[in-house]
Amino acid sequence: MKGLLVGRSAELARLVRVVRSAADGMAGVALVGGDAGIGKTRLVTELVAEAREWGFHVLAGQCAELGDALPYLPLADALRGAEPKVREAAAAHPMLGQLLPGTESAQSAGLTQQRLFGSLLGLLADVQPVLFVIEDLHWADRSTRDLLVFLSRMVQTERVCVVGTYRTDDLHRRHPLRSVLAELKRLPTVTHVELGPLSEGDMSDYVATMGEVGVRELGLIVSRADGNPFYAEELFAAMAEGDELPDELASLLMTRVEVLSEAGQRVLRAAAVAVRRVEDALLREVSGLPLAEFEEAVREIVSRGLLRVDGYGYAFRHALLQEAVYTDLLPGERTRLHAAFARLLSSPAELAHHHLAGHDLAGALAASVEAGRQAALLGAPAEAHEHYERALSLWERVDGAAGLAGESREGLAFRSAVTAADSGDNHRAIIQLRALPPTSEVLERLAYYLYEVDDRQAAIAAAERAVETARDRPELARALATQARTLLWSPRHHEIEGLTARALDVARASGARDAEVGALLTLATYVEYRGDAGRAHELVNIAAAEGSGDLAMDLRARFHHARIHYEGGLLDHAAEVTDEGIRMAFETGLKWSTYGTDLRFLRFLIHYVAGEWDEAETVAGGFPARVGTLPEAILSSFALFVEVGRGLPAVESRLGWLRPFWSDDLAAYMSRGLAAEHALWNGDPQAALDHVHAVMARLTDGEAGNIRLAAIGLWALAELGSTDGADALRRRARDAIEAGPTGEGNHLGPEGRAWGLRVEAEWHRAHGRLDVELWRQVVETFDYGFVYETARARWRLAEALLAAGDREEAQAEWDLARETAGKLRAAPLENALHEFGRRARFGDAGRGGRSGAGHRAGGGGLTARESEVLRLVAEGLTNREIAERLFIAQKTVSVHVSNILAKLEVSTRTQAAAAARHRGLLD
């Protein structure tokens, strides 16, 4: 009976629901917290058993109390102990192999951490369904914490479940896991399970599973254990051995140790210094016992349940026991045991830990530097930074530190700053670099990081000094390339041509390929902005022609190459280059890196613009809807293009999740701009106008985004029958076209020019004028390949032609628009075209529009919102009362009522109500 799960059925049920959801394609994360000994591991063990019964592959790893010494330790443990099928699948992902012993780390080609994370995502996708368990997160290294956050955000529709356990009693106020947990608990994919003490009844049942026990003894154990199962087990074991029961857990645990033979205690003390699992041969060497005596001692320890066999080594049955034994060691004894382990180990990270604990500062410094180098190669920049910082803190206390480190203190400090930036802490990197002698290498990186944090003037100054102090040609090439980059979008952008030309000459002469690619991409961005798209293509072609040795730079080159094609209207070329970049991102595990994500955004837009909406919707299916962070919100916003265009029911839910992120400029521009279109399709032009004004208030004059938003705002004004603010909207759009962000003009591609023309056409429409030639220009300019916008413009052109008396051509344009809307399954546009065709009495208009989810046309061609308004009109409500009931503007209600009267072909509200009842529209 021992080991039966007692008193945790509710908690297990919650975890089971997460795993079952994962089995159905709804990925999830569960965080299990509780005091030490409360039963977290036992609960997860039960969950693992059930998951295996459902066909899940299980990966399980454990963190160790070594600080940030060993990056990705639980992942390495999980891969090492994985079943053969999973290990075979992992072999297809070389980045994961570097975590395993005996595998030499490859030279970094940049973005190592992102590649590792991407490789793990690839593995999880290959072997799904999979349950990944990470135990003892309170001891997790920084990279493991980053990995947990990454998985929590990125797994969405995969059949993957991640479960992590942690001690709540170890989380002091400044513990690094606290902020991670606070962040994760806000995510909709994360379930938090807190294990509290067992009730007295459950504890009695649990103790009864251990063996026979008298009523008095049972009551004593239950009262002393205070709901903690591990404490109860130890009390039961001590009582069974006839020991007295001390009040404190540590004292209780040590009573179990003190009954061991001297040899047994010696071995257990050595095992406690190892911290985590220890190999049999290593433990024997450190204990110093003869083989026979050692084996007898280990047999005694295992039989008493203090250590358990784990592969070819041993591990403590519970971390609390290891902590109690370690704390009980005398200072000198502890130092000697750490030194003994240091003499026998080869892992730099573990060596650094034992050298430092054994007061061997020189050994700790040398091992820390090497551990930092290995962590950097593994893609764990945060751990590399910690190792370098430890070495730097020891520097002044160690003679011959430079010789032990293999480099100068300044060189190591520079390396530490770079790893700080690589781990996302640019501000820390800037502080460290400013404390170093201002060499060209230091100043170039300082300029680069200052530019990243938007301190443009300081970046320009640092880059100039980097150029002035360059000692050799590669340094000069990198400094010139960075200086040119800092001048983009500054008043000194005219200097970029000369700087990049010089950087390219020096880079090519010295073989600094990374500097060459950086200079080419900066120059391409500049000349594209100046309107020379042809030259921009040539430059990006050169940059992407051969690898730079830096994967981030190579992906950046492909992204810009594709982007320039896209913005120039060359959709086929853009798709080809984008697909190549996406393949590279997937093959290198960089699917979720900055440019890997940007390339997938761009591929989605190409599908959308080219009218490949089924493909676009498939891509958007991988964009999270239940978002918890800003990057997720921006990614999610893209899905609205197709969802709004098709009138899908997912729109309202997605907008609900996005609303908290509308304080961010980009998230607001993307999602509120499309929310405005959604409101227009649903008959609420006032809400659309509110969205437009809110977003444009955040945009600066001259930004290209003003053009599209102004067009949507003018569409809303036309629906409202108002010209209030129309001139201001057109003025903002014209300023963006004529002046641009720097005041020197904006060289727009075909899409930008088409939106500019639509602004003019919508401005006239808001003033009651339907300009045929203007709408014809809109159609022709969008017809470079933007299928949907061409159809929407044809709708307006048909209206203008009909108003001008050209019925035949109007119907021809209407037919073309309706055909496109049908192919795209663009329900809102189909319904609008149907209603226009019905009123115009075009042939075949009686087929009806598409009743798309989220935009269902009512009888008589009424929109969903108009049907709502009609029901309230039939109840006798005034416009003001309807506005209050529906939470919309009174002016919007007036527009809806006018549309209803026109569609029902009546002239009064009473007639509308009667017609609605007669046609069954109120049922």
Side-chain angles (χ1 to χ4, degrees):
M1 290 289 289
K2 186 173 179 180
L4 188 68
L5 188 67
V6 174
R8 299 297 188 199
S9 56
E11 292 88 344
L12 179 61
R14 292 185 66 195
L15 295 177
V16 165
R17 282 197 294 272
V18 178
V19 175
R20 286 194 183 277
S21 293
D24 293 335
M26 180 75 74
V29 176
L31 300 172
V32 182
D35 289 350
I38 205 68
K40 300 180 293 296
T41 297
R42 179 66 191 85
L43 178 65
V44 170
T45 300
E46 189 75 17
L47 181 69
V48 165
E50 294 205 24
R52 283 198 165 111
E53 288 182 8
W54 302 329
F56 273 71
H57 298 292
V58 175
L59 288 168
Q62 191 166 13
C63 305
E65 194 177 9
L66 290 171
D68 284 346
L70 291 174
Y72 306 117
L73 178 61
L75 176 57
D77 274 352
L79 293 173
R80 189 183 298 112
E83 56 200 82
K85 183 177 179 180
V86 175
R87 288 202 302 272
E88 183 179 326
H93 302 275
M95 287 299 299
L96 297 176
Q98 295 188 57
L99 297 175
L100 301 177
T103 305
E104 202 167 306
S105 296
Q107 286 297 313
S108 172
L111 300 176
T112 310
Q113 186 173 64
Q114 293 96 319
R115 294 172 65 197
L116 182 67
F117 288 3
S119 295
L120 179 59
L121 270 185
L123 173 64
L124 296 178
D126 292 344
V127 300
Q128 58 182 313
V130 59
L131 171 63
F132 183 18
V133 177
I134 307 175
E135 292 224 59
D136 296 329
L137 284 168
H138 50 281
W139 289 328
D141 57 276
R142 163 73 183 276
S143 289
T144 295
R145 295 194 298 272
D146 290 345
L147 177 63
L148 176 65
V149 172
F150 175 81
L151 291 175
S152 300
R153 299 192 184 295
M154 291 304 115
V155 291
Q156 295 275 338
T157 56
E158 298 85 352
R159 292 189 297 156
V160 172
C161 178
V162 180
V163 175
T165 69
Y166 65 94
R167 286 192 199 170
T168 52
D169 49 337
D170 267 21
L171 300 188
H172 53 77
R173 188 170 59 87
R174 301 184 64 184
H175 195 288
L177 187 64
R178 286 181 72 94
S179 59
V180 173
L181 293 174
E183 180 182 350
L184 295 184
K185 287 175 185 177
R186 291 195 295 268
L187 299 181
T189 54
V190 174
T191 298
H192 182 236
V193 177
E194 187 85 27
L195 297 188
L198 292 176
S199 66
E200 288 192 1
D202 287 336
M203 183 57 80
S204 297
D205 292 342
Y206 182 67
V207 173
T209 68
M210 301 177 199
E212 292 188 10
V213 60
V215 175
R216 177 180 170 280
E217 289 80 4
L218 176 63
L220 191 59
I221 292 173
V222 169
S223 64
R224 288 280 189 90
D226 201 22
N228 188 297
F230 177 69
Y231 202 174
E233 291 175 18
E234 293 302 312
L235 287 165
F236 182 90
M239 188 174 287
E241 293 173 2
D243 296 331
E244 292 187 7
L245 302 183
D247 291 327
E248 294 184 357
L249 179 58
S251 300
L252 170 63
L253 294 172
M254 288 311 296
T255 63
R256 304 276 316 283
V257 174
E258 288 161 2
V259 299
L260 293 173
S261 64
E262 179 55 38
Q265 291 189 46
R266 186 171 175 177
V267 171
L268 199 63
R269 287 195 291 269
V273 171
V275 178
R276 54 193 297 268
R277 178 186 176 281
V278 59
E279 293 289 334
D280 177 89
L282 180 60
L283 184 59
R284 179 167 60 83
E285 286 289 332
V286 173
S287 71
L289 293 172
L291 178 59
E293 191 174 352
F294 169 77
E295 289 180 341
E296 187 59 35
V298 170
R299 188 170 287 109
E300 177 190 14
I301 297 168
V302 172
S303 69
R304 289 185 176 273
L306 301 174
L307 288 181
R308 57 182 174 82
V309 176
D310 186 356
Y312 291 99
Y314 311 98
F316 277 89
R317 190 171 65 83
H318 199 285
L320 284 172
L321 180 57
Q322 180 269 329
E323 292 168 17
V325 176
Y326 185 81
T327 303
D328 194 60
L329 292 173
L330 297 171
E333 185 180 22
R334 188 179 301 164
T335 299
R336 286 189 293 274
L337 285 169
H338 277 295
F341 273 106
R343 287 193 297 271
L344 297 167
L345 290 168
S346 58
S347 163
E350 290 184 295
L351 276 174
H353 168 74
H354 287 294
H355 278 310
L356 198 61
H359 305 297
D360 180 359
L361 302 188
L365 186 147
S368 293
V369 172
E370 184 56 30
R373 289 172 182 151
Q374 288 197 4
L377 289 172
L378 278 176
E383 283 68 32
H385 177 67
E386 289 297 324
H387 286 302
Y388 292 148
E389 287 296 285
R390 181 184 296 120
L392 289 168
S393 71
L394 298 171
W395 197 277
E396 302 301 331
R397 299 157 64 189
V398 175
D399 292 333
L404 291 167
E407 62 184 316
S408 67
R409 188 185 190 286
E410 290 74 18
L412 184 61
F414 176 76
R415 192 191 298 270
S416 177
V418 171
T419 53
D422 287 346
S423 64
D425 195 347
N426 283 326
H427 292 285
R428 173 66 176 162
I430 289 167
I431 291 169
Q432 288 189 271
L433 290 171
R434 280 176 164 160
L436 291 174
T439 65
S440 178
E441 183 181 39
V442 168
L443 291 166
E444 184 274 330
R445 286 292 87 188
L446 177 60
Y448 194 94
Y449 301 144
L450 286 166
Y451 185 82
E452 290 291 304
V453 300
D454 287 327
D455 191 346
R456 301 297 170 84
Q457 290 307 309
I460 291 170
E464 288 174 342
R465 291 173 61 206
V467 171
E468 294 166 1
T469 56
R471 297 167 299 182
D472 56 39
R473 295 175 74 79
E475 271 191 5
L476 178 59
R478 294 184 181 100
L480 287 166
T482 296
Q483 184 183 10
R485 184 170 182 259
T486 64
L487 295 179
L488 273 173
W489 320 119
S490 82
R492 294 173 54 189
H493 59 267
H494 298 291
E495 299 175 34
I496 289 174
E497 284 266 15
L499 283 169
T500 51
R502 189 178 167 201
L504 289 170
D505 287 342
V506 178
R508 288 163 179 163
S510 60
R513 175 66 180 163
D514 58 329
E516 179 187 357
V517 172
L520 285 166
L521 294 177
T522 296
L523 181 57
T525 303
Y526 175 69
V527 299
E528 180 199 9
Y529 170 72
R530 301 291 295 171
D532 193 347
R535 189 176 172 207
H537 280 301
E538 292 174 8
L539 292 166
V540 176
N541 267 324
I542 297 169
E546 54 184 272
S548 66
D550 184 331
L551 284 171
M553 195 72 77
D554 293 341
L555 280 177
R556 178 185 166 201
R558 280 156 181 77
F559 169 74
H560 284 296
H561 194 188
R563 180 189 57 76
I564 293 170
H565 279 309
Y566 170 78
E567 293 183 359
L570 304 173
L571 300 182
D572 289 343
H573 294 297
E576 184 179 341
V577 178
T578 304
D579 288 340
E580 178 192 344
I582 291 171
R583 276 195 300 273
M584 173 185 281
F586 272 75
E587 289 168 1
T588 56
L590 290 173
K591 172 184 175 183
W592 289 105
S593 68
T594 299
Y595 284 107
T597 303
D598 286 348
L599 281 161
R600 287 185 294 126
F601 284 168
L602 185 55
R603 192 63 184 94
F604 168 83
L605 287 177
I606 294 167
H607 281 311
Y608 172 74
V609 170
E612 299 162 352
W613 279 22
D614 287 343
E615 292 86 346
E617 191 173 338
T618 299
V619 174
F623 299 169
R626 302 170 298 161
V627 298
T629 66
L630 179 58
E632 290 175 342
I634 293 170
L635 179 61
S636 179
S637 298
F638 277 77
L640 288 169
F641 278 107
V642 171
E643 290 175 351
V644 169
R646 282 185 162 168
L648 300 178
V651 173
E652 293 292 349
S653 173
R654 191 178 296 274
L655 286 173
W657 284 102
L658 290 169
R659 194 165 285 110
F661 298 94
W662 284 354
S663 58
D664 175 79
D665 291 352
L666 181 55
Y669 173 76
M670 290 294 302
S671 58
R672 296 198 75 170
L674 289 161
E677 290 199 18
H678 180 62
L680 281 163
W681 286 130
N682 283 278
D684 196 347
Q686 186 58 54
L689 197 59
D690 291 343
H691 283 301
V692 168
H693 286 319
V695 178
M696 292 186 74
R698 307 175 66 91
L699 296 178
T700 59
D701 290 340
E703 281 192 67
N706 285 293
I707 305 171
R708 179 172 174 271
L709 284 167
I712 297 170
L714 288 164
W715 174 10
L717 285 176
E719 297 301 311
L720 287 166
S722 170
T723 59
D724 292 346
D727 290 349
L729 287 170
R730 183 170 71 160
R731 186 166 53 250
R732 288 287 297 272
R734 285 183 169 182
D735 186 52
I737 295 166
E738 296 165 4
T742 64
E744 298 179 7
N746 210 339
H747 299 277
L748 299 171
E751 183 186 352
R753 294 194 298 273
W755 279 110
L757 287 167
R758 184 170 162 189
V759 166
E760 300 298 325
E762 292 285 7
W763 183 85
H764 281 285
R765 198 167 74 89
H767 285 79
R769 296 187 294 272
L770 300 177
D771 191 315
V772 171
E773 289 311 309
L774 201 45
W775 279 111
R776 198 185 303 280
Q777 289 180 54
V778 177
V779 169
E780 290 170 353
T781 312
F782 268 126
D783 204 21
Y784 72 90
F786 205 146
V787 175
Y788 177 57
E789 291 302 342
T790 302
R792 289 210 294 190
R794 288 190 191 281
W795 167 35
R796 296 304 185 196
L797 175 58
E799 288 182 331
L801 286 165
L802 187 66
D806 193 342
R807 181 179 182 81
E808 184 177 346
E809 189 178 354
Q811 177 152 3
E813 294 293 341
W814 176 78
D815 281 333
L816 289 170
R818 192 178 57 163
E819 181 183 358
T820 298
K823 288 178 179 177
L824 296 176
R825 300 204 306 280
L829 178 58
E830 277 194 280
N831 291 330
L833 287 164
H834 165 68
E835 176 56 26
F836 169 57
R838 187 192 64 77
R839 286 186 283 108
R841 290 180 168 78
F842 287 152
D844 201 26
R847 286 188 314 178
R850 183 183 300 272
S851 183
H855 188 88
R856 289 179 286 273
L862 300 180
T863 67
R865 178 67 88 185
E866 287 166 352
S867 295
E868 286 182 291
V869 172
L870 177 58
R871 289 188 184 91
L872 298 177
V873 167
E875 291 178 20
L877 273 65
T878 66
N879 284 359
R880 182 178 60 79
E881 291 169 333
I882 294 172
E884 291 173 354
R885 181 81 63 87
L886 297 179
F887 302 101
I888 58 178
Q890 188 171 336
K891 191 171 186 179
T892 301
V893 176
S894 176
V895 173
H896 286 317
V897 171
S898 297
N899 289 338
I900 291 166
L901 297 179
K903 291 179 180 181
L904 297 182
E905 299 178 336
V906 297
S907 56
T908 68
R909 298 163 75 96
T910 303
Q911 290 173 348
R917 292 190 182 95
H918 177 71
R919 300 185 193 182
L921 301 181
L922 303 180
D923 296 340

